[in-house]
Amino acid sequence: MKKQFLAGVLALGATFGLAAHATAQTVSIATLPQGSVWNTMGNVIAGAVREDGVRMVVQPYGGNLAMMQALEQGLAEFSINDINDVIAAAQGIDHYEGQAQSNLRLVAKINPLPVGLYVRTDSGMVEMSDLEGRRVSSGWDGFPLANSHISAILATGGLTFDDVEGVPTPGLIRGSDDLAAGRTEAAFFAVGGPKVAEVNATVGGVRFLTGASDEATLAAIQEIRPAFYFSEVQPAPFRVGIEEPMMMVTWDNVLLAGAHVSDEAVQAVLASMADRQSSMAEAFPPFGDFGIERAYIDYPGATYHPGAIAFFEERGIELQGF
């Protein structure tokens, strides 16, 4: 009897030891610089999982390529990215040509992220077609992801980069700074981004431009990236620049982990996010669209982390089609 009791105590201790090991290790989440949506989201996720003993630090990088390389090389454990870019990275295409990132693993869909081009309110521009011949950020050497996104956004106004005057811009935050300084007339950003609110306060008002969202336009944007779609965006205090309901180019933000990350660490992060979704939404309203029951999506060309698969299966959540 004593031997059975001792064996039970030792087994219980081993279980707690495993859980402690999964949460005691410090992990990092790679994001874009401060002021970006992903940096804000990374800070909210880190704050939530710390409540459950997972020590997570936010590690900003200059662009999505650097973030994905950090996961690939084991320099970071987690990251947030556009699913389109994850697919491109895994396949080694576009700006990942010859640099396929084979160690990227999906953890969960976080939320849809509508994006657009925004302008100063006093510019008089309202529709995407108004940008013809205007100065728009281009180049994006530090954030090449923006090139495909802006191409899709311009397509909603029947435009391409050839129809605007490109102004070389290295990165996301700099693009908005250029708009505030008058170097450009339109900047690219995600709806709800803190940087948009900052520029709004600096220049006395900004608005996102409207564009078409019919079937022909949907086909055009999906030619650029297969996982683009349209979603309706409603005005809200945190959605600076949205003055009325409008359809916008949208992608899904996903949480990623490197292949080197343990199953236990992935499961611990997912459990915290599931349990603390409401407090995360209070900290950053877009997390209101996150739900663990709709976070397991079958994206073509992307591979899930085994820890995430185990988590969803244990909770009875089935893989859903994109």
Side-chain angles (χ1 to χ4, degrees), residues 240-272:
V240 176
I242 302 296
E243 301 173 346
E244 59 185 8
M246 56 191 294
M247 301 296 290
M248 301 190 72
V249 174
T250 303
W251 78 68
D252 286 345
N253 278 327
V254 294
L255 181 65
L256 302 167
H260 64 286
V261 180
S262 70
D263 292 1
E264 293 81 9
V266 169
Q267 289 171 307
V269 168
L270 277 173
S272 290

PDB file of all heavy atoms in Angstrom, residues 240-272:
ATOM      1  N   VAL A 240     -10.014  54.314 -35.733  1.00  0.00           N
ATOM      2  CA  VAL A 240      -9.812  55.681 -36.210  1.00  0.00           C
ATOM      3  C   VAL A 240      -9.737  55.675 -37.735  1.00  0.00           C
ATOM      4  O   VAL A 240      -9.055  54.854 -38.333  1.00  0.00           O
ATOM      5  CB  VAL A 240      -8.532  56.276 -35.602  1.00  0.00           C
ATOM      6  CG1 VAL A 240      -8.255  57.655 -36.172  1.00  0.00           C
ATOM      7  CG2 VAL A 240      -8.641  56.326 -34.084  1.00  0.00           C
ATOM      8  N   GLY A 241     -10.460  56.624 -38.352  1.00  0.00           N
ATOM      9  CA  GLY A 241     -10.436  56.734 -39.807  1.00  0.00           C
ATOM     10  C   GLY A 241     -11.569  56.006 -40.503  1.00  0.00           C
ATOM     11  O   GLY A 241     -11.692  56.088 -41.723  1.00  0.00           O
ATOM     12  N   ILE A 242     -12.379  55.282 -39.740  1.00  0.00           N
ATOM     13  CA  ILE A 242     -13.559  54.612 -40.303  1.00  0.00           C
ATOM     14  C   ILE A 242     -14.777  55.444 -39.931  1.00  0.00           C
ATOM     15  O   ILE A 242     -15.203  55.466 -38.774  1.00  0.00           O
ATOM     16  CB  ILE A 242     -13.707  53.171 -39.763  1.00  0.00           C
ATOM     17  CG1 ILE A 242     -12.447  52.349 -40.074  1.00  0.00           C
ATOM     18  CG2 ILE A 242     -14.950  52.514 -40.347  1.00  0.00           C
ATOM     19  CD1 ILE A 242     -12.190  52.133 -41.545  1.00  0.00           C
ATOM     20  N   GLU A 243     -15.332  56.141 -40.922  1.00  0.00           N
ATOM     21  CA  GLU A 243     -16.423  57.083 -40.660  1.00  0.00           C
ATOM     22  C   GLU A 243     -17.802  56.485 -40.913  1.00  0.00           C
ATOM     23  O   GLU A 243     -18.819  57.014 -40.452  1.00  0.00           O
ATOM     24  CB  GLU A 243     -16.229  58.326 -41.523  1.00  0.00           C
ATOM     25  CG  GLU A 243     -14.895  59.028 -41.263  1.00  0.00           C
ATOM     26  CD  GLU A 243     -14.621  60.157 -42.222  1.00  0.00           C
ATOM     27  OE1 GLU A 243     -15.329  60.246 -43.263  1.00  0.00           O
ATOM     28  OE2 GLU A 243     -13.717  60.968 -41.946  1.00  0.00           O
ATOM     29  N   GLU A 244     -17.859  55.391 -41.674  1.00  0.00           N
ATOM     30  CA  GLU A 244     -19.116  54.716 -41.982  1.00  0.00           C
ATOM     31  C   GLU A 244     -18.808  53.259 -42.299  1.00  0.00           C
ATOM     32  O   GLU A 244     -17.642  52.913 -42.554  1.00  0.00           O
ATOM     33  CB  GLU A 244     -19.798  55.387 -43.177  1.00  0.00           C
ATOM     34  CG  GLU A 244     -18.958  55.374 -44.433  1.00  0.00           C
ATOM     35  CD  GLU A 244     -19.608  56.158 -45.571  1.00  0.00           C
ATOM     36  OE1 GLU A 244     -20.625  56.822 -45.320  1.00  0.00           O
ATOM     37  OE2 GLU A 244     -19.092  56.081 -46.699  1.00  0.00           O
ATOM     38  N   PRO A 245     -19.797  52.371 -42.270  1.00  0.00           N
ATOM     39  CA  PRO A 245     -19.521  50.969 -42.607  1.00  0.00           C
ATOM     40  C   PRO A 245     -18.898  50.860 -43.998  1.00  0.00           C
ATOM     41  O   PRO A 245     -19.354  51.503 -44.944  1.00  0.00           O
ATOM     42  CB  PRO A 245     -20.910  50.318 -42.567  1.00  0.00           C
ATOM     43  CG  PRO A 245     -21.709  51.194 -41.654  1.00  0.00           C
ATOM     44  CD  PRO A 245     -21.207  52.588 -41.895  1.00  0.00           C
ATOM     45  N   MET A 246     -17.852  50.066 -44.110  1.00  0.00           N
ATOM     46  CA  MET A 246     -17.184  49.924 -45.393  1.00  0.00           C
ATOM     47  C   MET A 246     -16.551  48.545 -45.519  1.00  0.00           C
ATOM     48  O   MET A 246     -16.159  47.933 -44.523  1.00  0.00           O
ATOM     49  CB  MET A 246     -16.118  51.018 -45.579  1.00  0.00           C
ATOM     50  CG  MET A 246     -15.079  51.102 -44.496  1.00  0.00           C
ATOM     51  SD  MET A 246     -14.051  52.602 -44.591  1.00  0.00           S
ATOM     52  CE  MET A 246     -13.171  52.361 -46.117  1.00  0.00           C
ATOM     53  N   MET A 247     -16.500  48.048 -46.756  1.00  0.00           N
ATOM     54  CA  MET A 247     -15.861  46.775 -47.056  1.00  0.00           C
ATOM     55  C   MET A 247     -14.371  47.013 -47.274  1.00  0.00           C
ATOM     56  O   MET A 247     -13.991  47.949 -47.988  1.00  0.00           O
ATOM     57  CB  MET A 247     -16.486  46.148 -48.297  1.00  0.00           C
ATOM     58  CG  MET A 247     -17.985  45.892 -48.184  1.00  0.00           C
ATOM     59  SD  MET A 247     -18.395  44.682 -46.894  1.00  0.00           S
ATOM     60  CE  MET A 247     -17.756  43.174 -47.649  1.00  0.00           C
ATOM     61  N   MET A 248     -13.545  46.152 -46.660  1.00  0.00           N
ATOM     62  CA  MET A 248     -12.105  46.356 -46.742  1.00  0.00           C
ATOM     63  C   MET A 248     -11.379  45.043 -47.000  1.00  0.00           C
ATOM     64  O   MET A 248     -11.849  43.961 -46.607  1.00  0.00           O
ATOM     65  CB  MET A 248     -11.586  46.982 -45.433  1.00  0.00           C
ATOM     66  CG  MET A 248     -12.221  48.306 -45.093  1.00  0.00           C
ATOM     67  SD  MET A 248     -11.408  49.167 -43.727  1.00  0.00           S
ATOM     68  CE  MET A 248      -9.879  49.699 -44.518  1.00  0.00           C
ATOM     69  N   VAL A 249     -10.241  45.141 -47.674  1.00  0.00           N
ATOM     70  CA  VAL A 249      -9.370  43.985 -47.854  1.00  0.00           C
ATOM     71  C   VAL A 249      -8.965  43.470 -46.466  1.00  0.00           C
ATOM     72  O   VAL A 249      -8.605  44.251 -45.586  1.00  0.00           O
ATOM     73  CB  VAL A 249      -8.110  44.365 -48.664  1.00  0.00           C
ATOM     74  CG1 VAL A 249      -7.131  43.196 -48.714  1.00  0.00           C
ATOM     75  CG2 VAL A 249      -8.497  44.798 -50.078  1.00  0.00           C
ATOM     76  N   THR A 250      -9.065  42.154 -46.297  1.00  0.00           N
ATOM     77  CA  THR A 250      -8.857  41.563 -44.976  1.00  0.00           C
ATOM     78  C   THR A 250      -8.004  40.309 -45.087  1.00  0.00           C
ATOM     79  O   THR A 250      -8.055  39.592 -46.088  1.00  0.00           O
ATOM     80  CB  THR A 250     -10.223  41.204 -44.350  1.00  0.00           C
ATOM     81  OG1 THR A 250     -11.033  42.383 -44.295  1.00  0.00           O
ATOM     82  CG2 THR A 250     -10.075  40.638 -42.941  1.00  0.00           C
ATOM     83  N   TRP A 251      -7.215  40.067 -44.072  1.00  0.00           N
ATOM     84  CA  TRP A 251      -6.521  38.789 -43.949  1.00  0.00           C
ATOM     85  C   TRP A 251      -6.729  38.282 -42.534  1.00  0.00           C
ATOM     86  O   TRP A 251      -7.216  38.996 -41.669  1.00  0.00           O
ATOM     87  CB  TRP A 251      -5.031  38.919 -44.280  1.00  0.00           C
ATOM     88  CG  TRP A 251      -4.175  39.516 -43.202  1.00  0.00           C
ATOM     89  CD1 TRP A 251      -3.867  38.976 -41.984  1.00  0.00           C
ATOM     90  CD2 TRP A 251      -3.463  40.768 -43.253  1.00  0.00           C
ATOM     91  NE1 TRP A 251      -3.029  39.802 -41.283  1.00  0.00           N
ATOM     92  CE2 TRP A 251      -2.766  40.898 -42.036  1.00  0.00           C
ATOM     93  CE3 TRP A 251      -3.349  41.764 -44.213  1.00  0.00           C
ATOM     94  CZ2 TRP A 251      -1.969  42.007 -41.756  1.00  0.00           C
ATOM     95  CZ3 TRP A 251      -2.556  42.854 -43.926  1.00  0.00           C
ATOM     96  CH2 TRP A 251      -1.877  42.971 -42.721  1.00  0.00           C
ATOM     97  N   ASP A 252      -6.320  37.047 -42.270  1.00  0.00           N
ATOM     98  CA  ASP A 252      -6.375  36.495 -40.922  1.00  0.00           C
ATOM     99  C   ASP A 252      -5.011  36.603 -40.263  1.00  0.00           C
ATOM    100  O   ASP A 252      -3.998  36.155 -40.821  1.00  0.00           O
ATOM    101  CB  ASP A 252      -6.798  35.027 -40.948  1.00  0.00           C
ATOM    102  CG  ASP A 252      -8.281  34.862 -41.242  1.00  0.00           C
ATOM    103  OD1 ASP A 252      -9.015  35.861 -41.133  1.00  0.00           O
ATOM    104  OD2 ASP A 252      -8.693  33.733 -41.579  1.00  0.00           O
ATOM    105  N   ASN A 253      -4.989  37.202 -39.077  1.00  0.00           N
ATOM    106  CA  ASN A 253      -3.803  37.133 -38.229  1.00  0.00           C
ATOM    107  C   ASN A 253      -3.723  35.742 -37.616  1.00  0.00           C
ATOM    108  O   ASN A 253      -4.736  35.206 -37.144  1.00  0.00           O
ATOM    109  CB  ASN A 253      -3.906  38.145 -37.082  1.00  0.00           C
ATOM    110  CG  ASN A 253      -3.510  39.535 -37.484  1.00  0.00           C
ATOM    111  OD1 ASN A 253      -2.635  39.731 -38.317  1.00  0.00           O
ATOM    112  ND2 ASN A 253      -4.162  40.521 -36.887  1.00  0.00           N
ATOM    113  N   VAL A 254      -2.535  35.170 -37.611  1.00  0.00           N
ATOM    114  CA  VAL A 254      -2.353  33.860 -36.993  1.00  0.00           C
ATOM    115  C   VAL A 254      -1.200  33.912 -35.992  1.00  0.00           C
ATOM    116  O   VAL A 254      -0.258  34.698 -36.147  1.00  0.00           O
ATOM    117  CB  VAL A 254      -2.090  32.756 -38.037  1.00  0.00           C
ATOM    118  CG1 VAL A 254      -3.307  32.531 -38.907  1.00  0.00           C
ATOM    119  CG2 VAL A 254      -0.867  33.082 -38.899  1.00  0.00           C
ATOM    120  N   LEU A 255      -1.316  33.082 -34.969  1.00  0.00           N
ATOM    121  CA  LEU A 255      -0.227  32.890 -34.018  1.00  0.00           C
ATOM    122  C   LEU A 255       0.613  31.733 -34.504  1.00  0.00           C
ATOM    123  O   LEU A 255       0.083  30.680 -34.887  1.00  0.00           O
ATOM    124  CB  LEU A 255      -0.785  32.594 -32.625  1.00  0.00           C
ATOM    125  CG  LEU A 255       0.259  32.397 -31.515  1.00  0.00           C
ATOM    126  CD1 LEU A 255       1.036  33.693 -31.263  1.00  0.00           C
ATOM    127  CD2 LEU A 255      -0.419  31.919 -30.227  1.00  0.00           C
ATOM    128  N   LEU A 256       1.919  31.932 -34.506  1.00  0.00           N
ATOM    129  CA  LEU A 256       2.864  30.921 -34.975  1.00  0.00           C
ATOM    130  C   LEU A 256       3.812  30.521 -33.862  1.00  0.00           C
ATOM    131  O   LEU A 256       4.037  31.274 -32.906  1.00  0.00           O
ATOM    132  CB  LEU A 256       3.707  31.465 -36.137  1.00  0.00           C
ATOM    133  CG  LEU A 256       2.990  31.963 -37.380  1.00  0.00           C
ATOM    134  CD1 LEU A 256       3.964  32.735 -38.256  1.00  0.00           C
ATOM    135  CD2 LEU A 256       2.415  30.795 -38.137  1.00  0.00           C
ATOM    136  N   ALA A 257       4.405  29.345 -34.021  1.00  0.00           N
ATOM    137  CA  ALA A 257       5.499  28.910 -33.155  1.00  0.00           C
ATOM    138  C   ALA A 257       6.568  28.285 -34.035  1.00  0.00           C
ATOM    139  O   ALA A 257       6.277  27.805 -35.139  1.00  0.00           O
ATOM    140  CB  ALA A 257       5.016  27.906 -32.110  1.00  0.00           C
ATOM    141  N   GLY A 258       7.800  28.294 -33.560  1.00  0.00           N
ATOM    142  CA  GLY A 258       8.856  27.584 -34.255  1.00  0.00           C
ATOM    143  C   GLY A 258       8.727  26.089 -34.009  1.00  0.00           C
ATOM    144  O   GLY A 258       8.165  25.655 -32.998  1.00  0.00           O
ATOM    145  N   ALA A 259       9.243  25.299 -34.938  1.00  0.00           N
ATOM    146  CA  ALA A 259       9.185  23.844 -34.772  1.00  0.00           C
ATOM    147  C   ALA A 259       9.940  23.395 -33.519  1.00  0.00           C
ATOM    148  O   ALA A 259       9.679  22.305 -32.994  1.00  0.00           O
ATOM    149  CB  ALA A 259       9.767  23.158 -36.007  1.00  0.00           C
ATOM    150  N   HIS A 260      10.859  24.232 -33.025  1.00  0.00           N
ATOM    151  CA  HIS A 260      11.659  23.866 -31.848  1.00  0.00           C
ATOM    152  C   HIS A 260      10.905  24.035 -30.539  1.00  0.00           C
ATOM    153  O   HIS A 260      11.370  23.581 -29.491  1.00  0.00           O
ATOM    154  CB  HIS A 260      12.918  24.734 -31.797  1.00  0.00           C
ATOM    155  CG  HIS A 260      12.645  26.206 -31.608  1.00  0.00           C
ATOM    156  ND1 HIS A 260      12.142  27.000 -32.621  1.00  0.00           N
ATOM    157  CD2 HIS A 260      12.791  27.025 -30.531  1.00  0.00           C
ATOM    158  CE1 HIS A 260      11.998  28.239 -32.176  1.00  0.00           C
ATOM    159  NE2 HIS A 260      12.375  28.282 -30.914  1.00  0.00           N
ATOM    160  N   VAL A 261       9.756  24.678 -30.566  1.00  0.00           N
ATOM    161  CA  VAL A 261       9.009  24.967 -29.341  1.00  0.00           C
ATOM    162  C   VAL A 261       8.299  23.705 -28.863  1.00  0.00           C
ATOM    163  O   VAL A 261       7.718  22.959 -29.658  1.00  0.00           O
ATOM    164  CB  VAL A 261       7.991  26.097 -29.575  1.00  0.00           C
ATOM    165  CG1 VAL A 261       7.199  26.405 -28.307  1.00  0.00           C
ATOM    166  CG2 VAL A 261       8.706  27.356 -30.064  1.00  0.00           C
ATOM    167  N   SER A 262       8.321  23.465 -27.568  1.00  0.00           N
ATOM    168  CA  SER A 262       7.741  22.239 -27.018  1.00  0.00           C
ATOM    169  C   SER A 262       6.214  22.243 -27.131  1.00  0.00           C
ATOM    170  O   SER A 262       5.581  23.297 -27.146  1.00  0.00           O
ATOM    171  CB  SER A 262       8.131  22.078 -25.543  1.00  0.00           C
ATOM    172  OG  SER A 262       7.473  23.041 -24.734  1.00  0.00           O
ATOM    173  N   ASP A 263       5.649  21.043 -27.188  1.00  0.00           N
ATOM    174  CA  ASP A 263       4.193  20.911 -27.213  1.00  0.00           C
ATOM    175  C   ASP A 263       3.580  21.548 -25.966  1.00  0.00           C
ATOM    176  O   ASP A 263       2.528  22.189 -26.036  1.00  0.00           O
ATOM    177  CB  ASP A 263       3.792  19.440 -27.270  1.00  0.00           C
ATOM    178  CG  ASP A 263       4.160  18.780 -28.586  1.00  0.00           C
ATOM    179  OD1 ASP A 263       4.756  19.457 -29.457  1.00  0.00           O
ATOM    180  OD2 ASP A 263       3.854  17.585 -28.749  1.00  0.00           O
ATOM    181  N   GLU A 264       4.253  21.352 -24.822  1.00  0.00           N
ATOM    182  CA  GLU A 264       3.720  21.871 -23.558  1.00  0.00           C
ATOM    183  C   GLU A 264       3.633  23.390 -23.565  1.00  0.00           C
ATOM    184  O   GLU A 264       2.654  23.966 -23.074  1.00  0.00           O
ATOM    185  CB  GLU A 264       4.589  21.399 -22.385  1.00  0.00           C
ATOM    186  CG  GLU A 264       4.547  19.909 -22.112  1.00  0.00           C
ATOM    187  CD  GLU A 264       5.456  19.101 -23.028  1.00  0.00           C
ATOM    188  OE1 GLU A 264       6.249  19.712 -23.774  1.00  0.00           O
ATOM    189  OE2 GLU A 264       5.365  17.863 -23.000  1.00  0.00           O
ATOM    190  N   ALA A 265       4.639  24.049 -24.133  1.00  0.00           N
ATOM    191  CA  ALA A 265       4.628  25.510 -24.175  1.00  0.00           C
ATOM    192  C   ALA A 265       3.502  26.014 -25.067  1.00  0.00           C
ATOM    193  O   ALA A 265       2.805  26.972 -24.728  1.00  0.00           O
ATOM    194  CB  ALA A 265       5.981  26.030 -24.666  1.00  0.00           C
ATOM    195  N   VAL A 266       3.307  25.368 -26.210  1.00  0.00           N
ATOM    196  CA  VAL A 266       2.233  25.767 -27.120  1.00  0.00           C
ATOM    197  C   VAL A 266       0.875  25.570 -26.457  1.00  0.00           C
ATOM    198  O   VAL A 266      -0.008  26.439 -26.515  1.00  0.00           O
ATOM    199  CB  VAL A 266       2.316  24.965 -28.436  1.00  0.00           C
ATOM    200  CG1 VAL A 266       1.059  25.164 -29.283  1.00  0.00           C
ATOM    201  CG2 VAL A 266       3.551  25.376 -29.233  1.00  0.00           C
ATOM    202  N   GLN A 267       0.686  24.440 -25.802  1.00  0.00           N
ATOM    203  CA  GLN A 267      -0.589  24.156 -25.144  1.00  0.00           C
ATOM    204  C   GLN A 267      -0.851  25.136 -24.000  1.00  0.00           C
ATOM    205  O   GLN A 267      -1.991  25.567 -23.789  1.00  0.00           O
ATOM    206  CB  GLN A 267      -0.600  22.720 -24.638  1.00  0.00           C
ATOM    207  CG  GLN A 267      -0.692  21.699 -25.774  1.00  0.00           C
ATOM    208  CD  GLN A 267      -0.481  20.280 -25.290  1.00  0.00           C
ATOM    209  OE1 GLN A 267       0.508  19.962 -24.633  1.00  0.00           O
ATOM    210  NE2 GLN A 267      -1.422  19.403 -25.609  1.00  0.00           N
ATOM    211  N   ALA A 268       0.203  25.500 -23.274  1.00  0.00           N
ATOM    212  CA  ALA A 268       0.046  26.441 -22.165  1.00  0.00           C
ATOM    213  C   ALA A 268      -0.386  27.813 -22.674  1.00  0.00           C
ATOM    214  O   ALA A 268      -1.262  28.468 -22.080  1.00  0.00           O
ATOM    215  CB  ALA A 268       1.356  26.551 -21.379  1.00  0.00           C
ATOM    216  N   VAL A 269       0.200  28.263 -23.781  1.00  0.00           N
ATOM    217  CA  VAL A 269      -0.166  29.564 -24.348  1.00  0.00           C
ATOM    218  C   VAL A 269      -1.614  29.538 -24.851  1.00  0.00           C
ATOM    219  O   VAL A 269      -2.401  30.464 -24.594  1.00  0.00           O
ATOM    220  CB  VAL A 269       0.803  29.950 -25.487  1.00  0.00           C
ATOM    221  CG1 VAL A 269       0.271  31.137 -26.274  1.00  0.00           C
ATOM    222  CG2 VAL A 269       2.183  30.281 -24.910  1.00  0.00           C
ATOM    223  N   LEU A 270      -1.992  28.482 -25.550  1.00  0.00           N
ATOM    224  CA  LEU A 270      -3.359  28.381 -26.057  1.00  0.00           C
ATOM    225  C   LEU A 270      -4.374  28.330 -24.916  1.00  0.00           C
ATOM    226  O   LEU A 270      -5.444  28.948 -24.991  1.00  0.00           O
ATOM    227  CB  LEU A 270      -3.503  27.131 -26.926  1.00  0.00           C
ATOM    228  CG  LEU A 270      -3.045  27.266 -28.381  1.00  0.00           C
ATOM    229  CD1 LEU A 270      -3.091  25.913 -29.072  1.00  0.00           C
ATOM    230  CD2 LEU A 270      -3.907  28.271 -29.133  1.00  0.00           C
ATOM    231  N   ALA A 271      -4.055  27.605 -23.861  1.00  0.00           N
ATOM    232  CA  ALA A 271      -4.974  27.509 -22.722  1.00  0.00           C
ATOM    233  C   ALA A 271      -5.181  28.875 -22.081  1.00  0.00           C
ATOM    234  O   ALA A 271      -6.316  29.248 -21.733  1.00  0.00           O
ATOM    235  CB  ALA A 271      -4.441  26.508 -21.696  1.00  0.00           C
ATOM    236  N   SER A 272      -4.103  29.636 -21.929  1.00  0.00           N
ATOM    237  CA  SER A 272      -4.226  30.977 -21.351  1.00  0.00           C
ATOM    238  C   SER A 272      -5.062  31.884 -22.230  1.00  0.00           C
ATOM    239  O   SER A 272      -5.924  32.628 -21.742  1.00  0.00           O
ATOM    240  CB  SER A 272      -2.836  31.591 -21.149  1.00  0.00           C
ATOM    241  OG  SER A 272      -2.135  30.948 -20.115  1.00  0.00           O
TER     242      SER A 272
END
